[in-house]
């Protein structure tokens, strides 16, 4: 079987290393989709596991140049210049206030947009890999995996009812066990 | 009561169960499953595992819908101990609800229902561990004729009962349960104090302990100290290290092994250096529950200066492995070692002074081996906490006085 592990953040890295190895030992072809190799550092991923790194941390929102210039540089530059004269104290206070309100707001907006871009990239990469790989078994290994597949996996399951989905790779119980 | 001719089918519900990420989480539930499985026709374990999702409300709705659709097909039974069937049910939960125990309980019940496809749990007998989550979920998802029992282990029970909604839910749980158990006096007192009208319902049950591995011969000298505890404040590793350093000043051959890990590790490592005992202290990190008996058997004395324990499983494990114990009277251990305190080692009170531990160790060295009786202590504990004893106790609870005879 083609077993695809979806573990965008690698939050359960130790289990991921164990379970991907277990799947490979069971003779499956194993693909792991996760954020980056660095997230799994120290957990000794089996060499048989094929990996696809999402790399969403490389993506970040770039503020428009006009915003950067007119809302960050110019006001603070002006206040710095005013601050060289007799209004030093007031200018410093105004700059502090400006940073705490306008700049902090811009930073928060940048952060939110960056998170959204990263999330979109993560969701898109996971979707791409599921389509490209046509897995027989998808392991949704962590909360972010459920989040990443929520937009397309239910429809895919409806198309391919034989597609197996689980939240871990463990030995299935069978009648001979009981 | 389930009669002898009915199928002996039991379901165990738990929010903690060992997995590849945290092999020691809920190890006591796995032990319980191993202890009770012999003599049952079928044992199902449902592990409702909390998964925190941090998403906007709009996105959350889509995630919740998708999860509800995928759950029933995604939790096939997997192998666990003694032929039991294990189902792991991810309980997705918004980050904003993390501190609300009542809300968390509702999520456990909701997602278990989704995993079961809306059908009730098949078993006529259900035993839930940590009632606020599992007993609540069991009572919302059981057959009308099912008997639901629960055991409380949670060291954070006081926090749960501080929340009005969770307290009301707990009251209802206690009212509806066929039997309610705690693993120690401390929990008994908390529950009886909060719900005096349910005080008569509270009974004791212990976690089963593996008596299969032991030292080949008793320790000849108590030089190799062992601590098995997570690195958190209540375990008082600072007292342990200071007492160890003081004792080692008298006897440089002493060593100390620390099995465990946790947030306090940097501070503990710093204290080891500060006390100048680095070469005598070994950090094992987290160990698998299955490794504990072997580790214990390779040491001479278990030293456990904890400030609070609901049960004190580590004391029983140590005696089971053939070690004397130096342990605090911190709730569970004095109950567990009741009647065999002197045979098993030395118990000391919880006081804010490492010297108490030093004095305890000196006393134990004086008394060991002539004034201790580890064989007697081990036999006594095995008859109370061994798999066979605890398994039979559960069977009597579920199937009546003759329930263990099958």
């Amino acid at each position: 079987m083609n077993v695809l592990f979806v573990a965008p953040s690698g939050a359960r890295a130790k289990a991921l290393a164990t379970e991907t190895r277990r799947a490979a030992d069971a003779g499956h072809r194993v693909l792991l989709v996760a954020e980056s190799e660095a997230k799994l550092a120290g957990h000794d991923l089996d060499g048989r596991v094929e990996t696809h790194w999402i790399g969403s941390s490389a993506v970040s929102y770039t503020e428009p140049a006009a915003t950067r210039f007119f809302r960050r540089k110019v006001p603070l530059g002006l206040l710095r210049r005013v601050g060289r004269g007799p209004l030093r104290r007031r200018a410093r206070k105004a700059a502090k206030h400006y940073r705490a309100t306008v700049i902090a707001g811009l930073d928060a907006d940048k952060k939110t947009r960056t998170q959204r871009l990263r999330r979109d990239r993560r969701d898109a990469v996971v979707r791409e890999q599921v389509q490209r790989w046509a897995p027989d078994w998808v392991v949704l290994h962590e909360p972010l995996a459920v989040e990443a597949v929520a937009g397309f996996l239910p429809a895919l399951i409806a198309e391919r009812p034989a597609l197996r989905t689980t939240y871990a790779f463990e030995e299935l119980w069978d009648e001979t066990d009981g | 009561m389930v009669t002898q001719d009915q199928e002996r089918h039991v379901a165990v519900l738990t929010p903690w169960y060992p997995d590849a990420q945290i092999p020691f989480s809920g190890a006591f539930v796995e032990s319980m499953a191993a202890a009770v499985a012999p003599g049952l026709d079928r044992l199902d374990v449902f592990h409702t595992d909390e998964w925190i999702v941090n998403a906007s409300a709009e996105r959350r709705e889509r995630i919740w819908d998708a999860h509800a659709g995928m759950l029933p097909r995604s939790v096939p039974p997997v192998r666990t101990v003694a032929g039991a069937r294990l189902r792991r049910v991810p309980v997705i939960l918004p980050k904003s609800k993390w501190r609300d125990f009542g809300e968390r309980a509702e999520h456990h019940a909701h997602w278990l229902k989704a995993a079961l496809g809306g059908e009730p749990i098949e078993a006529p007998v259900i035993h839930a561990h940590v009632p606020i989550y599992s007993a609540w979920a069991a009572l919302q998802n059981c057959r009308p004729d099912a008997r639901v029992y629960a055991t409380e282990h949670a060291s954070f029970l006081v926090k749960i009962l501080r929340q009005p909604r969770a307290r009301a839910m707990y009251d209802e749980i206690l009212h509806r349960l066929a039997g309610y158990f705690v693993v120690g006096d401390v929990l008994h007192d908390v529950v009886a104090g909060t719900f005096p009208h349910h005080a008569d319902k509270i009974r004791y049950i212990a976690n089963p302990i593996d008596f299969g591995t032991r030292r080949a011969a008793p320790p000849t000298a108590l030089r190799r100290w062992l601590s098995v505890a997570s690195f958190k404040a209540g375990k008082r590793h600072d007292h342990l290290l200071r007492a160890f350093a003081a004792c080692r000043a008298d006897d440089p051959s002493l060593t100390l092994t620390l099995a465990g890990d946790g947030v306090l590790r940097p501070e503990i490592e710093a204290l080891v250096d500060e006390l100048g005992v680095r070469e005598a202290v070994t950090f094992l990190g987290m160990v698998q529950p299955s490794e504990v008996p072997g580790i214990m058997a390779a040491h001479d004395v278990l030293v456990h200066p904890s400030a609070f324990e609901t049960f004190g499983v580590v004391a029983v494990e140590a005696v089971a492995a053939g070690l004397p114990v130096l342990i605090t009277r911190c709730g569970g251990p004095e109950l567990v070692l009741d009647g065999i305190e002197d045979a098993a080692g030395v118990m000391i009170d919880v006081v804010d002074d490492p010297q108490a531990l030093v004095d305890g160790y000196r006393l134990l060295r004086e008394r060991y081996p002539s004034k201790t009786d580890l064989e007697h202590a081990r036999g006594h504990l095995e008859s109370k906490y061994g798999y066979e004893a605890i398994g039979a106790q559960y069977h009597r609870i579920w199937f009546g006085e003759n329930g263990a005879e099958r």
Side-chain angles (χ1 to χ4, degrees):
Chain A
M1 277 191 186
N2 284 355
V3 182
L4 172 66
F5 282 77
V6 183
S9 73
R12 304 178 67 244
K14 184 178 170 189
L16 199 54
T18 306
E19 292 177 24
T20 48
R21 180 174 301 113
R22 194 184 285 158
D25 287 344
H28 301 301
R29 186 175 171 213
V30 183
L31 176 70
L32 166 64
V33 181
E35 171 60 24
S36 65
E37 196 166 9
K39 292 267 184 188
L40 307 177
H43 290 286
D44 192 21
L45 206 59
D46 192 288
R48 293 167 293 178
V49 177
E50 298 168 51
T51 51
H52 187 92
W53 307 121
I54 299 168
S56 67
S57 58
V59 179
S60 52
Y61 172 70
T62 312
E63 222 167 30
T67 304
R68 258 198 331 268
F69 185 72
F70 290 112
R71 299 195 64 196
R72 286 184 190 267
K73 279 194 168 176
V74 171
L76 288 173
L78 275 174
L79 286 168
R80 207 161 30 241
R81 178 157 286 204
V82 171
R84 286 182 197 140
L87 295 172
R88 203 174 119 192
R89 207 182 247 179
R90 281 192 179 182
R92 193 183 291 166
K93 204 171 164 189
K96 192 178 170 190
H97 179 72
Y98 192 80
R99 278 197 197 93
T101 52
V102 180
I103 300 290
L106 289 172
D107 287 346
D109 181 58
K110 196 175 167 188
K111 189 178 169 191
T112 307
R113 287 171 188 264
T114 297
Q115 281 173 341
R116 204 173 296 154
L117 284 175
R118 289 180 180 180
R119 189 193 70 199
D120 290 348
R121 166 138 177 187
R122 183 191 69 210
D123 291 3
V125 170
V126 170
R127 181 194 282 252
E128 258 170 44
Q129 290 306 309
V130 171
Q131 281 166 352
R132 189 176 72 86
W133 233 62
D136 305 296
W137 187 338
V138 177
V139 180
L140 303 169
H141 206 255
E142 58 180 48
L144 267 186
V146 179
E147 229 184 299
V149 304
F152 67 92
L153 198 58
L156 185 65
I157 290 169
E159 264 175 45
R160 292 178 51 202
L163 173 64
R164 182 179 285 174
T165 49
T166 60
Y167 302 96
F169 188 93
E170 294 180 286
E171 274 188 272
L172 297 177
W173 183 92
D174 66 45
E175 291 297 330
T176 57
D177 293 314
Chain B
M1 193 66 60
V2 178
T3 56
Q4 288 288 309
D5 55 343
Q6 283 185 289
E7 190 192 22
R8 288 159 71 105
H9 178 187
V10 174
V12 169
L13 265 67
T14 174
W16 308 317
Y17 202 78
D19 65 14
Q21 181 69 18
I22 315 180
F24 51 85
S25 172
F28 59 89
V29 183
E30 190 180 51
S31 299
M32 179 261 194
V36 302
L40 295 182
D41 296 317
R42 176 172 166 184
L43 177 62
D44 294 321
V45 180
F46 293 91
H47 172 202
T48 50
D49 188 17
E50 288 184 345
W51 284 20
I52 304 299
V53 169
N54 190 14
S56 65
E58 179 199 346
R59 206 170 142 80
R60 209 185 299 151
E61 198 176 325
R62 195 173 69 176
I63 297 164
W64 260 232
D65 285 348
H67 192 50
M70 290 187 294
L71 250 184
R73 69 188 310 283
S74 306
V75 289
V78 296
R79 286 182 180 163
T80 182
V81 291
R85 309 168 198 208
L86 168 66
R87 283 187 170 84
R88 297 194 195 270
V89 180
V91 171
I92 61 170
L93 186 72
K95 198 176 180 187
S96 56
K97 305 292 183 193
W98 173 249
R99 292 183 192 282
D100 183 338
F101 290 108
E103 196 62 38
R104 284 163 73 176
E106 293 289 12
H107 278 75
H108 280 258
H110 173 78
W111 290 120
L112 179 62
K113 187 183 284 285
L116 292 164
E119 295 295 319
I121 296 167
E122 287 176 60
V125 173
I126 302 174
H127 203 106
H129 293 277
V130 190
I132 189 68
Y133 303 140
S134 297
W136 185 258
L139 290 164
Q140 312 304 315
N141 289 288
C142 63
R143 296 168 17 176
D145 62 337
R147 294 170 62 81
V148 181
Y149 301 82
T151 304
E152 184 59 88
H153 310 257
S155 55
F156 52 90
L157 181 61
V158 173
K159 281 188 194 167
I160 295 172
L161 299 179
R162 249 189 239 136
Q163 296 182 359
R165 182 181 175 204
R167 190 167 59 243
M169 289 165 83
Y170 209 98
D171 196 4
E172 187 184 332
I173 290 168
L174 283 168
H175 180 70
R176 293 174 62 189
L177 288 176
Y180 174 82
F181 303 85
V182 292
V183 293
D185 271 345
V186 178
L187 290 173
H188 179 282
D189 294 348
V190 169
V191 179
T194 311
F195 306 107
H197 48 293
H198 291 305
D200 293 345
K201 199 167 190 171
I202 308 168
R203 290 155 69 191
Y204 289 100
I205 198 155
N207 294 320
I209 306 293
D210 179 9
F211 279 75
T213 308
R214 64 188 300 185
R215 289 180 60 104
T220 50
L222 307 183
R223 294 206 174 92
R224 293 174 297 173
W225 293 27
L226 174 66
S227 161
V228 181
S230 50
F231 290 178
K232 53 187 184 186
K235 303 297 181 185
R236 305 201 310 171
H237 284 86
D238 53 340
H239 281 241
L240 172 64
L241 288 169
R242 290 184 194 285
F244 173 73
C247 294
R248 192 164 181 270
D250 297 339
D251 180 355
S253 68
L254 295 187
T255 61
L256 169 63
T257 302
L258 300 173
D261 211 339
V263 288
L264 291 183
R265 179 149 186 167
E267 283 136 78
I268 290 170
E269 296 234 25
L271 186 58
V272 166
D273 290 334
E274 183 193 319
L275 294 168
V277 291
R278 171 63 71 174
E279 74 280 10
V281 177
T282 304
F283 287 84
L284 291 184
M286 274 304 172
V287 296
Q288 305 264 358
S290 57
E291 295 174 296
V292 171
I295 292 168
M296 287 193 163
H299 288 81
D300 298 330
V301 56
L302 177 87
V303 186
H304 194 70
S306 186
F308 172 69
E309 295 290 343
T310 55
F311 179 64
V313 64
V314 74
V316 187
E317 286 174 333
V319 177
L323 294 196
V325 296
L326 171 56
I327 193 165
T328 42
R329 293 185 189 91
C330 58
E334 58 266 40
L335 183 77
V336 166
L337 299 179
D338 186 28
I340 51 159
E341 277 191 22
D342 292 342
V346 165
M347 294 196 87
I348 58 170
D349 290 329
V350 178
V351 291
D352 194 19
D353 183 0
Q355 185 59 37
L357 206 55
V358 176
D359 295 342
Y361 177 66
R362 288 178 180 149
L363 177 62
L364 181 59
R365 273 189 102 156
E366 280 168 29
R367 293 187 54 244
Y368 183 84
S370 59
K371 291 179 182 161
T372 58
D373 188 348
L374 289 180
E375 267 313 300
H376 169 66
R378 191 175 188 277
H380 175 83
L381 291 178
E382 187 169 12
S383 70
K384 278 172 80 177
Y385 305 117
Y387 278 25
E388 206 173 308
I390 299 294
Q393 192 181 349
Y394 272 108
H395 287 203
R396 280 195 295 274
I397 291 163
W398 298 332
F399 308 119
E401 271 313 305
N402 299 323
E405 297 166 9
R406 186 165 147 167

